[in-house]
Amino acid sequence: MERIGWQEKWTLRYAVAGLVFLAMSGFEGTLMRTQLTAPEALRGMEAALNMIRPVAHEPSSAELFYGMLTVHPVVGIYGFVYMCIMGAFYFLVPFLLQKEIRHKRLVPVNFALQAIGVLTCWMSGFFGLFNAMYTLYWPLPVSYDRVPLVGSVAFAVGAAVIMVNILLFSYNMFSTVLSRSNPRSYSFWQFLRAAFGIPHLMRLFGKEDTTAVNLDYNGLPVFIVAVGRGSIDTVINALVLLTAGGLILIYGLSALFKTPLDPSAVDALVYKNWFWWGLDMVADGNALMYTAGVWYLLIPLLVNRKLYGESVVRTVIMADLLVSLGVWSHHLLGDRAQPLVMRLLSGQFITWGEFFTMGLTIFAALMTIWQARPVKFTPALKFVLGSILGFIMGGAAGLIQANVGLNLVFHNTQWVVALHAHTFLLTGVGMLLFAVIYALIPMLTKLEIRSQWLANVHFWFWIVGSVVMAYAMGMAGSRGMLRRTIYPLPNPYQPYLAVAMVSALLMTVGFVAFLVNIVGTLGWANVLSLVVPERWLTPRSGLAET
Amino acid sequence: MDREERIWFGVLILVFLVFNAVTLSPLVPWQKWLLWSHPTPDKRVSIEIENYEIHLPPEGIEVWVGEFVEFVATSGDVTYGFGVFRPDSTMVFQMQVMPGHENSILWKFDTPGTYDVRSTEYSGPRHPEMFIENAIQVIP
């Protein structure tokens, strides 16, 4: 029996749960891709599932498709990505600070609540047919002639559980970091001043802010700074989405108790600005900062060299926080009701701030590797490089669509969702999380990754599959194919859909190679020991807690 | 910042300036009138959308090549989209149609022919049905 620490075991549990959610999200993605390619192909499965769906009528294929499409990103982002991030940070933050997590009891609580919240949302779409999409444009989520009332309430409850849980996780992160860097008491405003990097700015001008909580300099590792800064975005995201979810819940419960409220009481444009301001804190905020932080941590470890340009990197992390607060209007470039000055400033110019912050981040990452030559291309380093490619591709596509002129022909097309969003998520964030898993397993368990060949199969199938799928659908988007639209056959997008389907299968092969390798590395007994109580296992099997 | 970082930062600034200058300039055809000249429309076309149905003017939409047409769309319930597509399904332009607001866009067609209209924003499970073939006739 391998003996590992309590925290390490929980990190592995988070990783396993995250991978299960990735498999769920991928399976749903494949089902939807199948439906787009051959709309009749899933009829048998639909009929079987309809027998256990708690809805009054026989749902149409479109209702099933849009129910799945609504929860697909929730499972992918709040299931896979957040689970893996929580698990990794719960190990790495105390490891780097040489200090235990401040509130250890929250670790299993976060695990359970995240899983419950994601599964509730998933069931609201997959079984309850809630279909208002993750964008939840007002008043669609409360238009009960289009979305099922019970599904809407269930989705809002699930989302609220997720958001409250994320707030608890962020509190634990801040609490752990701050208890190390500044054991004194501090006020909320002192904390906010530090969080937004005011002491760092003052230092640039030769002044010391001695009363502020330290979040950004005086010895904290760059990774911790990035986690701290990214968690500001995480908190804002959770609070804003909680208000939106709360609003939907109030309307839902009112309708449920036969006292429906008037949806026109809420202005759709104000709501959309508020919602996207918060939602973008994930897409253009914490995702970039957490990613940068993980690159800054992993790359020096993997190539055994100090991070290049560390002082610039710390400033970049702070700048990225400010940029993320102002970019949301790039999601409203198609809204002619949004003032032009907002579309130009927030939508286009401030969005380019990310070009600078990510440009400098990637430069620092690549220069660190370059200066460390010759380097050993371990699986983790290969996946880090793959993730950098994903962020370059996804970022370039994002800048093209976040343009007042070009958005006119790209908005809501497959370009946005494939070449930008899925490249970011599958090639960028996905490969980064695989890199973290490849790097952390030996650290956590003292076991070496078993098969380099399987790791290579995973790498090549995943990167080729994700890039080709993104390009195929991106090309379909540039030819006018809309996202969230089922086209009857025949349609001009079928060749692109066929290529994307094959690419999805390539990614599946890569993912299976990864799972086989990880299970082979850990052994079945160890994997089982993550979910089965220790006393049920024989003394010689499983990962026991020290 | 060391020398390499300064050079790289300069490259980033250059890309930012060139890309934005080009895409905001009249090199992107529609920027001529949407961003710079703001001409008075020759024609105004009202579109009402409600309950998954796009209501075009009863007389149809006929415009001349080169004339400026203002499309004004309103929604009676949820957010829709108003997109104009060529017969080969490529997009000419689009805008969101948000309830409670007047949504308008000025356009100048440069190629004669017929164009399709499709809702470009998801509005519920019947969203894919919101398609009108040959909705706009552009006369040479």
Side-chain angles (χ1 to χ4, degrees), chain A residues 20 39 74 87 92 135 161 193 254 312 328-329 380 418 438 443 477 546:
Chain A
V20 169
V74 177
L92 289 170
T135 40
V161 170
R193 202 162 68 219
S254 300
V312 172
W328 78 95
S329 269
Y438 278 122
M443 286 173 74
T546 53

Side-chain angles (χ1 to χ4, degrees), chain A residues 236-314:
Chain A
I236 297 173
N237 166 261
L239 287 174
V240 172
L241 295 197
L242 206 51
T243 60
L247 188 68
I248 294 166
L249 198 55
I250 289 168
Y251 271 76
L253 292 175
S254 300
L256 214 52
F257 292 110
K258 311 292 180 198
T259 51
L261 300 170
D262 177 15
S264 68
V266 177
D267 183 273
L269 184 61
V270 173
Y271 170 93
K272 194 170 180 179
N273 272 283
W274 172 247
F275 185 81
W276 269 118
W277 182 67
L279 190 57
D280 227 19
M281 295 291 167
V282 168
D284 294 275
N286 73 2
L288 301 187
M289 274 181 269
Y290 287 165
T291 297
V294 174
W295 284 340
Y296 297 151
L297 173 71
L298 273 190
I299 291 173
L301 278 176
L302 295 171
V303 302
N304 199 25
R305 190 186 171 91
K306 191 175 178 294
L307 179 67
Y308 172 86
E310 192 171 315
S311 65
V312 172
V313 155
R314 285 173 187 266

Side-chain angles (χ1 to χ4, degrees), chain B residues 83-102:
Chain B
V84 174
F85 294 81
R86 299 179 188 87
D88 66 357
S89 297
T90 56
M91 191 188 294
V92 181
F93 69 88
Q94 63 167 320
M95 65 172 163
Q96 296 273 288
V97 182
M98 189 173 269
H101 293 268
E102 192 177 87

Side-chain angles (χ1 to χ4, degrees), chain A residues 26 66 99 154 222 281 333 392 468 544:
Chain A
Y66 290 121
K99 187 177 171 64
V222 183
M281 295 291 167
L333 292 181
I392 292 172
V468 173

Side-chain angles (χ1 to χ4, degrees), chain A residues 41-57:
Chain A
L42 302 179
R43 286 272 188 252
M45 194 182 106
E46 285 172 5
L49 284 171
N50 282 342
M51 287 192 285
I52 54 169
R53 281 196 167 94
V55 286
H57 66 289

